[in-house]
Structure formats: C-alpha cells, structure tokens
Amino acid sequence: MSKLTLGAHPYLLGFEQLERLVERTAKSGNDGYPPYNIEQTSDHSYRITLAVAGFGEDELSITVEDSSLVIRGRQSEDDADRVYLHRGIARRQFQRSFVLADGVDVGEAFLQNGLLHVDLSRKVPESVVQTIQIRKGDKA
C-alpha cells in the first residue's frame, strides 16, 4: 500500500508547498531555548514573547527570511575578568524560527523587563467570487 501525501490528495490542488512547509518546520531544530509564549491579541493579531533575560537590544536581531520569522540572540564575551562561583543564567546564543502564513506581517518589537515582544498581524483577505465563462470548442 502506498502512502498518500497531502500534496497528492486529488481534492487538494496546489498544496504541495504546505507539505514542504510542514517538513521544514519539523526540521527547524528549535531546542526549547529561549522559552516563549504565543498569544492571540485580537481576531487578526498575535504576539510572540521570548524570555531573553541578560540580552540587550544590540544583542538581538529579528529578520523575516523565506516566510519565517527568525529571532537571534548573541551576547558578547566580556566576562573574562569575572570569577563565577555559580553560573545559572544562560549566556548562550540562540536562534528561534517561526513559520509565517501568507498574509501575516511582522509589526513592531520591543524589549521590556527581560522579555522580547514581537507583534504580528494577519491581513483579512477579501472574499472574491469569480465566474468562469464556458466556451464551445474541443480544446483539450
């Protein structure tokens, strides 16, 4: 018995990209750091919040790459003169990726109390009804 994939289903025309998107998301390699929340702030907007304690604004970057929101953090190594008796606060670089649906735009981002907030909004598509004319002929 052969496996029926999403892109090969006869009623789902043009969804091959969705299958590739699911595969890409599964391979994203996010390891759980830093922890984050995703909340719906209205019917058409969202907020992603990452716990980035210890990171400054200049040590964080937010980009949109190939329909993905990518948030990176890299702290400078200026601790050479410090002697830690215990080091429980992580100071490691990270990359966290979120796949964005078509029509989702990244708005503003702000850092507050060790939390990085990134606002997203989704454009509501207009409802379109298209009438297709049927013509006579034997074009195959």
Side-chain angles (χ1 to χ4, degrees):
M1 176 180 245
S2 65
K3 179 182 171 187
L4 184 63
T5 62
L6 181 66
H9 193 280
Y11 297 127
L12 299 174
L13 302 175
F15 282 86
E16 299 83 9
Q17 180 180 353
L18 181 60
E19 189 170 358
R20 288 190 298 271
L21 181 67
V22 170
E23 288 175 9
R24 189 175 87 198
T25 303
K27 295 177 184 177
S28 67
N30 288 331
D31 65 354
Y33 178 78
Y36 65 94
N37 292 335
I38 301 175
E39 62 183 298
Q40 186 169 1
T41 54
S42 75
D43 287 344
H44 305 292
S45 62
Y46 310 92
R47 175 173 286 163
I48 298 173
T49 302
L50 283 83
V52 293
F55 285 86
E57 292 176 18
D58 58 333
E59 297 170 320
L60 298 166
S61 71
I62 302 170
T63 57
V64 177
E65 304 170 11
D66 193 27
S67 300
S68 290
L69 171 66
V70 180
I71 303 171
R72 294 180 179 92
R74 180 178 300 230
Q75 291 182 320
S76 59
E77 293 297 325
D78 59 355
D79 290 351
D81 57 340
R82 292 185 180 191
V83 177
Y84 290 95
L85 299 179
H86 172 75
R87 189 166 184 178
I89 300 173
R91 284 189 56 90
R92 60 180 174 158
Q93 65 184 14
F94 69 87
Q95 176 174 312
R96 172 72 67 182
S97 299
F98 301 91
V99 178
L100 301 175
D102 290 341
V104 173
D105 292 324
V106 178
E108 69 175 350
F110 60 97
L111 188 60
Q112 179 183 30
N113 299 327
L115 298 174
L116 175 65
H117 304 280
V118 181
D119 290 331
L120 309 170
S121 61
R122 181 172 44 104
K123 297 177 194 166
V124 180
E126 294 180 19
S127 179
V128 176
V129 176
Q130 182 180 3
T131 303
I132 308 300
Q133 297 295 324
I134 301 173
R135 64 181 190 89
K136 294 180 181 180
D138 54 12
K139 185 176 183 181

